[in-house]
Amino acid sequence: MIKFLLDILSDPAILIGIFALIGLLLQKAKVSDVVAGTIKTILGFVILGAGAQILVGSLDIFRQVFDHAFGLKGTIPNNEAIVALAMKQFGTQTAYVMILGMLVNLILARTTPLKYIFLTGHHTLFMACLLVAVMSAGGMTGVTLVLTGGVLLGILMVLMPALSQPFTRKVTGSDSFALGHFGSFGYIAAALVGKVVGKSGRSTEDIKVPESLRFLRDTSISMALTMGILFIVVSLAAGPTFIETTLSGGVNFLVFSIKQALVFSAGVYIILAGVRLLISEIVPAFKGISDKLIPNAKPALDCPSVFPFAPNAVVIGFMSSFVGGLIAMFITPVFGLAVIVPGLIPHFFTGATAGVYGNATGGLRGAVLGAFANGILISFLPAILLSGLGAIGFAGTTFGDTDFGVVGILLSFATRAF
């Protein structure tokens, strides 16, 4: 039964579909509209997930080529990997904390001014797992662990969207939804950097290009060309032998590299299509929950929900965050911390989002430097957190996004102190 509930609550497509269904039923919509709205909402998330899976596959190939080309050895932060490891030890506690945290989220949204319902199910699972792992390392067990973890999770599920909402409004130009993604400290940092460095700066979306290069305004084309250059450079450094014998199945290494760049671009295109479908359905459906159960509630959605508002900033943010990660990789050992090899997945998703937030407050300079700051943060925070998690056997990997690092580090100090 616990596994059944965990599987439902950790699947963002099913979770958000349930909320859409409840919202439409509360509005007493026609049966046909309820069925269509629920299915379209789930389809939006499924399409988003399919695009992400395609993109992640391409990024994994890039990582392998990059690691071989430059001989990098170190820790690559990966939320999915560390959760898979932790669940073997703490699966039951994580399930209880996750369920309790979602209930606390609804109670707080109903009874406090923080009217946010966190709908990014996999990040709810990740944060529940982090809380359990860190508190267990600090000696907390049993009912105390579950109650404390559930309350903390519920608070974070309303607090983090609330903290980033002033900047989310600048991104979207409305107050219809919030950001429900535990990379909020990075996005807030990017927005603040943008305010400092980019006053009266032009937006990434206003970049003027010659008529002959107008095709670069298409995000899919610019993304394919950018990733094509990156793939070719690292492939030349890695050499044809490694790629053709290990990855491409004998296909010429340059042809393979170009194809992977196009696959990456296709993944981004699919993600954007899924986001547009999701938002067009979930916002109206959510009105039923807001009106009937939790007045003025806002859905807190996954980070790709902001990508369509500044597609150029998505590309710029990813690149700038990755550069920040590369620089930080050589700095962390100076402070006696682990070598954090930039993970393409966190740098794409959080870097792109940081670029969008930096652009909203500081235009092009804000997107570049704000996302760069995010890249530094998602390198140093995991390196610091890693020392705490290593005590319970997770020294090989760690959590990637900023909120996990901040919460994990503070909670680790708190549990040791008390």
Side-chain angles (χ1 to χ4, degrees), residues 2 4 77 104 106 115 128-129 187 202 219 226 274 324 339 351 355 357 377:
I2 291 175
F4 175 76
V104 172
L106 295 175
K115 305 294 185 182
C129 191
Y187 313 143
R202 61 175 177 169
T219 305
T226 301
V339 175
Y357 275 70
L377 285 173

Side-chain angles (χ1 to χ4, degrees), residues 129-139 385 389 392 407-408 411-412 415:
C129 191
L130 169 79
L131 294 172
V132 170
V134 172
M135 289 189 294
S136 295
L385 178 62
L389 292 177
I392 48 176
V407 172
L411 188 58
S412 179
T415 53

